[in-house]
Amino acid sequence: MTAAGEEMHALVERLYPLCRSITGDGVRATLDIVGEYVPLKVHEVPTGTQVLDWTVPQEWNIRDAYVADTAGHRVVDFAASSLHVLGYSVPVARTMPLAELREHLHTLPDHPSWVPYRTSYYKPEWGFCLAQETLDALPDGDYEVCVDSTLADGHLTYAEHVIPGQVSDEVIVSCHVCHPSLANDNLAGIAVATFLARALAEQTPYYTYRFIFAPGTIGAITWLARNAERIERVKHGLVLACAGDRGQLTYKQSRRGDAEIDQVMRHMLAASERPHRVAEFTPYGYDERQYCSPGFDLGVGSLSRTPYAGYPEYHTSADNPDFVSPDAMEDTLALCREAFAVLDRNRRYVNLSPYGEPQLGRRGLYESLGGRSDAKQAQMAMLWVLSLSDGGHSLLDVAERAGLPFDTVAAAADALHGAGLIKA
């Protein structure tokens, strides 16, 4: 493990206590912290704004919430964990018997020591989440119930970080920032995206990379609604989520299934020999389903380790910083960097000497291979690039058809381009 894994885990631990939701100060506080790592442009979209078929809701903020017994002891306390309150709970201040209170309590009987994550974004409701064993220990009687929250006109907040490339065509990297204290489903994706942005900023990439930190569903929909003029520039995309558990890597393909990002991710996972799974697209999951909706049909896939709802700890208090691994986040980050390095170099070329095989020797191309341990492989790569440089095959197509490493094929293309034998 390198320092990057430890730093990402430290970022997860720092963000973990914050109470995030689809709106509110928890999102802003999260973006403030991410902004210490990479500069962000923060956008505030007012309540009531029409975004595609949706409307930006009222902003929710919470100061305190608890259930207390007659002695004043808090048996459920928002201050102990932001998961303890139903997300978007409306204000309440009442005393009621346990029998009535039970209707507003959420537990996980199959995991009696875990606290579930529950929300009610678009239906006015209030409630608490607690461990089943806590509920079982509560005696009958009256309880004081308090949710000190506000639902008022405000804003939906999201942020972007842009790394300019050699061209204006864009790769988007998106992660959701709306979950409260959930380390893998939320924070690991934020951490990997943040450190990926830092790594790409040290280069001069071919594509422009746009990182989107937005609340799930409504945030991505808002970004799409506000960026209609930019959509045609988006050539590739990746949604990052559940990026830090110890499971194998999983890539979910775009709706199209044949997008270039799909081919790159399939190739890199196979070439790396990492344990992995490639899944077909389904219209359920994270924000890939918004970017891939048929009106946009963007080439956006999703990278995770164990997919959503695929591990028992999903959406529970057991998804804590101990559940995510610095090594796993580092591995996710490494694959992203490897894949984007291929994406950035994956050109289509046209052979400028297509009638017969051009004489490579008199251009010094054979001599440049002298002494290389992979000289034969490099020579074959040149021949394959020349053969398939018809404007329709990418370098990755060449590598896969020839059974050669992508880097070898890309180096051959660079040499042939430098000799004036092919053009992009």
Side-chain angles (χ1 to χ4, degrees):
M1 180 177 63
T2 67
E6 295 177 348
E7 289 179 53
M8 284 188 286
H9 197 267
L11 176 56
V12 167
E13 289 182 313
R14 187 177 174 194
L15 294 173
Y16 183 75
L18 298 178
C19 183
R20 281 164 291 274
S21 189
I22 56 173
T23 62
D25 291 335
V27 174
R28 296 187 184 96
T30 298
L31 297 177
D32 284 346
I33 292 172
V34 172
E36 297 174 16
Y37 292 78
V38 293
L40 295 178
K41 181 177 182 180
V42 177
H43 304 268
E44 298 276 5
V45 184
T47 296
T49 301
Q50 189 70 28
V51 286
L52 306 181
D53 195 45
W54 295 59
T55 303
V56 173
Q58 289 190 310
E59 181 176 326
W60 182 69
N61 285 293
I62 184 166
R63 288 166 291 276
D64 196 10
Y66 61 85
V67 175
D69 60 20
T70 53
H73 173 66
R74 294 189 177 192
V75 296
V76 183
D77 191 356
F78 168 75
S81 171
S82 59
L83 293 179
H84 276 309
V85 69
L86 178 77
Y88 254 63
S89 279
V90 298
V92 61
R94 293 176 55 191
T95 298
M96 63 185 68
L98 180 60
E100 181 181 351
L101 177 58
R102 282 180 180 273
E103 298 176 9
H104 299 273
L105 300 181
H106 305 272
T107 65
L108 293 168
D110 291 342
H111 296 282
S113 65
W114 297 356
V115 177
Y117 165 55
R118 298 288 185 268
T119 65
S120 185
Y121 294 143
Y122 301 106
K123 178 183 177 182
E125 183 59 273
W126 64 268
F128 291 87
C129 300
L130 67 161
Q132 181 67 44
E133 60 189 21
T134 300
L135 176 58
D136 291 343
L138 295 181
D140 288 334
D142 288 342
Y143 289 85
E144 180 188 359
V145 177
C146 172
V147 176
D148 183 9
S149 65
T150 56
L151 265 172
D153 287 353
H155 297 83
L156 178 146
T157 309
Y158 72 91
E160 297 175 289
H161 172 75
V162 178
I163 301 166
Q166 300 170 38
V167 298
S168 61
D169 290 345
E170 293 190 0
V171 179
I172 59 172
V173 179
S174 180
C175 58
H176 60 289
V177 296
C178 53
H179 287 8
S181 298
L182 299 173
N184 192 44
D185 180 17
N186 198 35
L187 300 181
I190 294 172
V192 170
T194 300
F195 278 74
L196 178 59
R198 288 179 64 176
L200 290 172
E202 296 173 356
Q203 309 165 16
T204 305
Y206 177 73
Y207 290 109
T208 293
Y209 285 81
R210 183 176 300 273
F211 288 77
I212 302 168
F213 299 87
T217 305
I218 185 65
I221 286 172
T222 299
W223 185 88
L224 287 163
R226 288 166 54 88
N227 288 273
E229 79 290 346
R230 180 174 287 116
I231 296 302
E232 65 180 18
R233 297 186 205 166
V234 177
K235 305 304 180 185
H236 319 282
L238 192 63
V239 170
L240 287 171
C242 299
D245 67 85
R246 292 167 176 81
Q248 67 179 9
L249 285 159
T250 300
Y251 176 69
K252 176 183 173 182
Q253 299 187 107
S254 71
R255 188 179 77 98
R256 286 150 44 181
D258 61 352
E260 190 172 340
I261 187 68
D262 299 327
Q263 183 187 17
V264 168
M265 294 301 294
R266 289 192 304 260
H267 178 85
M268 293 309 300
L269 283 165
S272 71
E273 298 184 346
R274 290 176 171 92
H276 70 275
R277 173 174 172 259
V278 175
E280 296 295 326
F281 176 83
T282 64
Y284 184 76
Y286 292 108
D287 285 326
E288 68 279 353
R289 68 190 197 273
Q290 311 307 332
Y291 300 117
C292 292
S293 56
F296 297 109
D297 197 23
L298 298 177
V300 177
S302 176
L303 181 64
S304 61
R305 301 195 73 86
T306 306
Y308 55 87
Y311 51 97
E313 296 84 358
Y314 179 77
H315 280 190
T316 78
S317 58
D319 185 358
N320 57 46
D322 291 337
F323 180 68
V324 299
S325 158
D327 287 337
M329 285 190 288
E330 193 172 291
D331 185 47
T332 308
L333 174 63
L335 177 66
C336 291
R337 295 186 65 178
E338 294 162 13
F340 286 167
V342 171
L343 196 65
D344 249 25
R345 299 173 71 190
N346 191 31
R347 309 278 186 277
R348 286 171 171 79
Y349 288 93
V350 174
N351 188 336
L352 298 177
S353 183
Y355 300 102
E357 182 180 305
Q359 191 174 5
L360 302 181
R362 70 179 174 84
R363 292 175 171 85
L365 293 173
Y366 281 148
E367 287 83 347
S368 69
L369 304 177
R372 286 181 52 168
S373 60
D374 64 341
K376 182 65 175 178
Q377 190 179 64
Q379 178 184 337
M380 286 303 300
M382 286 188 187
L383 297 177
W384 272 110
V385 170
L386 287 168
S387 178
L388 295 179
S389 288
D390 52 12
H393 291 86
S394 69
L395 293 183
L396 187 52
D397 293 333
V398 176
E400 292 188 335
R401 182 164 174 181
L404 294 170
F406 177 85
D407 286 345
T408 301
V409 171
D414 289 343
L416 292 167
H417 185 266
L421 288 171
I422 59 175
K423 70 173 183 179

